[in-house]
Amino acid sequence: MDGSGDLAFPALVAARLLLAFAPLPDALKYDQQLSSPLTSYSRLREGIYLFQHGIDPYSGGAFRHSPSLLSLFSTVLPLTPYTSPILWTAADAVAAWALVRIWRLRTGAKETSRDGQIAALYLLNPYIFLPSLALSTSSIESMLCLLAVMFACRGRASAALFALACLVQLSLPAVLLAAPIILLTVTRPVSRLALPQPYHAQWKRIIPLLAEFVGYTALLTFASTVVCGNWLWVEKTWGATLTLPDLTPNPGLWWYFFTEMFDHFRPFFLMVFSVHLLIYIAPLCIKFQHDFLYATFLLLGVQALFKPYPTLSDPGLFLSMFSIFPEIYPYLRHPIVTALIHLHASLLLPLFNSLWLRQGTGNANFFYASTLVFGMGNGAALMDAIWAGLRVAVGELKEGYEVAQE
């Protein structure tokens, strides 16, 4: 970073750490907007307690975290009221550092004047730091995601694929990112949106990388099974994203739909909702084959919008990554409208959540209406990003004619 950036980053991290130790309401840890059944800190602590006392935490229906977190936080990094805020702040700091590194690699510069701004846009994003204050493990997922992208941008394929495999252990929907990250490792992360060129697949390099990713995933899966002593964790963690057994309210679009769903229709719509996430991979990778970093960014937006158990961290990561694509800003179609929808949703979500679950003066329709507004905001941001990514490659001639993308 430049001189100001060198001071800004540690100052931001120090401020975040002080905020993490501030006497904040414990209700944050139980807020459905900040943590889900798969990322809840209280459920993680409960699982660790059962594991340390010789009880299989996956024998019940509450613990749905990865065995990787179970083994890590029950041995090497024990969770206490003092260590937890430090660990989660460190995770956010590493994520912000990785985002700055991605920006530098994209611009091809060692330092830029925007480094401090990019770090601040991540660390001060309410969608990022509120789940972190709630000690949601989604903060760790965001860190692993940005590390995987950063290593891919640097061409360090093994490190990128291992980080992605670790992320898949925590969150199965992250497998959506496998294709663009593998392709990103064999290309350059520099900005190519304005100069689109067809990508000629290098199968001799891609297939070994895919095999390496599968190998890392298989190795971590085996290690998780050894930790647990059985395969029950697969159903409770990965299976939860496919079968949606816990309908605890969250900012996503799934929970209310399946609350109202008749049981005999449930398997069909679970299949439709799950397969629906897969259909975006090929179109986005093909359309943005000249810039796989941008395709990765867009798939993060798809994941934030349609993930089964989302938290505010998921759209927060997507929105924070806007900062590394300044070339699209002039081409965003409705940025003010999108920002206002997000502002509106950020006010409605806690208000309607409180009216329903705390004061008892509302019902589930109140909160679900606010999640629909939130989904509209995320969808609008995603559509804006897709439109701008396509529009930046269109030049205007002096006579007023347009040159379409090749």
Side-chain angles (χ1 to χ4, degrees):
M1 299 183 185
D2 61 1
S4 60
D6 289 337
L7 297 176
F9 187 77
L12 287 168
V13 174
R16 285 293 308 278
L17 185 60
L18 290 175
L19 189 60
F21 278 104
L24 297 170
D26 289 336
L28 283 177
K29 297 178 182 178
Y30 303 96
D31 196 308
Q32 297 88 355
Q33 306 157 78
L34 307 180
S35 59
S36 71
L38 277 64
T39 64
S40 169
Y41 180 76
S42 59
R43 297 195 186 203
L44 177 60
R45 291 293 301 271
E46 179 181 350
I48 292 173
Y49 177 84
L50 294 174
F51 182 71
Q52 291 176 337
H53 287 78
I55 303 173
D56 185 0
Y58 297 102
S59 59
F63 186 72
R64 301 190 181 279
H65 292 73
S66 169
S68 304
L69 296 180
L70 189 66
S71 58
L72 178 66
F73 291 132
S74 62
T75 55
V76 181
L77 298 173
L79 298 181
T80 69
Y82 300 101
T83 61
S84 296
I86 295 175
L87 291 173
W88 262 256
T89 301
D92 282 347
V94 171
W97 170 80
L99 188 62
V100 173
R101 291 288 299 173
I102 294 169
W103 160 248
R104 290 177 179 176
L105 291 165
R106 185 164 176 81
T107 58
K110 293 184 178 180
E111 293 182 356
T112 72
S113 59
R114 296 187 71 244
D115 292 351
Q117 298 174 19
I118 291 172
L121 286 172
Y122 185 87
L123 292 172
L124 300 181
N125 186 339
Y127 291 167
I128 295 293
F129 75 75
L130 287 176
S132 181
L133 294 179
L135 302 179
S136 169
T137 56
S138 57
S139 299
I140 300 175
E141 295 173 11
S142 298
M143 176 194 69
L144 288 173
C145 179
L146 289 174
L147 284 175
V149 175
M150 182 199 71
F151 286 130
C153 290
R154 295 181 62 183
R156 297 179 58 182
S158 296
L161 296 177
F162 183 74
L164 181 60
C166 292
L167 176 59
V168 171
Q169 292 293 308
L170 306 188
S171 177
L172 184 61
V175 76
L176 296 176
L177 306 176
I181 285 181
I182 289 174
L183 292 168
L184 183 58
T185 59
V186 297
T187 59
R188 298 179 62 193
V190 296
S191 178
R192 296 174 181 265
L193 290 175
L195 298 171
Q197 296 177 353
Y199 170 69
H200 301 288
Q202 305 174 34
W203 295 110
K204 291 184 178 180
R205 297 181 63 188
I206 293 174
I207 293 177
L209 291 176
L210 179 60
E212 185 177 356
F213 170 67
V214 173
Y216 286 142
T217 303
L219 179 63
L220 291 173
T221 301
F222 176 74
S224 296
T225 305
V226 171
V227 169
C228 297
N230 55 56
W231 290 91
L232 188 59
W233 70 272
V234 176
E235 175 192 349
K236 297 295 184 179
T237 57
W238 288 348
T241 63
L242 300 175
T243 60
L244 209 75
D246 193 322
L247 295 177
T248 300
N250 59 65
L253 304 175
W254 288 46
W255 68 273
Y256 188 81
F257 185 86
F258 285 97
T259 298
E260 302 296 326
M261 177 62 61
F262 291 110
D263 288 341
H264 53 283
F265 291 129
R266 183 180 173 89
F268 171 75
F269 280 100
L270 281 172
M271 180 194 69
V272 171
F273 273 53
S274 299
V275 173
H276 169 253
L277 281 167
L278 300 176
I279 67 175
Y280 296 94
I281 301 175
L284 290 176
C285 287
I286 292 172
K287 190 60 182 176
F288 292 95
Q289 59 185 287
H290 51 282
D291 197 330
F292 288 115
L293 179 57
Y294 201 75
T296 305
F297 163 63
L298 294 177
L299 282 172
L300 282 173
V302 171
Q303 182 177 309
L305 182 58
F306 297 114
K307 193 176 180 180
Y309 288 102
T311 65
L312 294 184
S313 285
D314 297 293
L317 176 59
F318 171 65
L319 295 174
S320 295
M321 287 191 71
F322 266 98
S323 60
I324 62 174
F325 302 103
E327 67 269 31
I328 69 171
Y329 294 169
Y331 301 96
L332 294 173
R333 195 168 190 179
H334 305 295
I336 296 178
V337 174
T338 301
L340 290 177
I341 293 176
H342 267 282
L343 177 61
H344 188 58
S346 67
L347 298 176
L348 287 182
L349 281 170
L351 175 61
F352 284 176
N353 181 270
S354 178
L355 286 175
W356 174 32
L357 297 177
R358 291 185 176 86
Q359 300 183 26
T361 56
N363 54 41
N365 293 320
F366 279 58
F367 185 63
Y368 188 59
S370 62
T371 62
L372 289 177
V373 176
F374 189 57
M376 288 176 57
N378 293 328
L382 178 61
M383 292 303 297
D384 262 3
I386 294 174
W387 169 266
L390 296 173
R391 187 64 180 81
V392 72
V394 178
E396 295 186 359
L397 300 179
K398 294 181 179 179
E399 292 81 6
Y401 295 98
E402 293 184 346
V403 179
Q405 177 179 336
E406 298 179 358

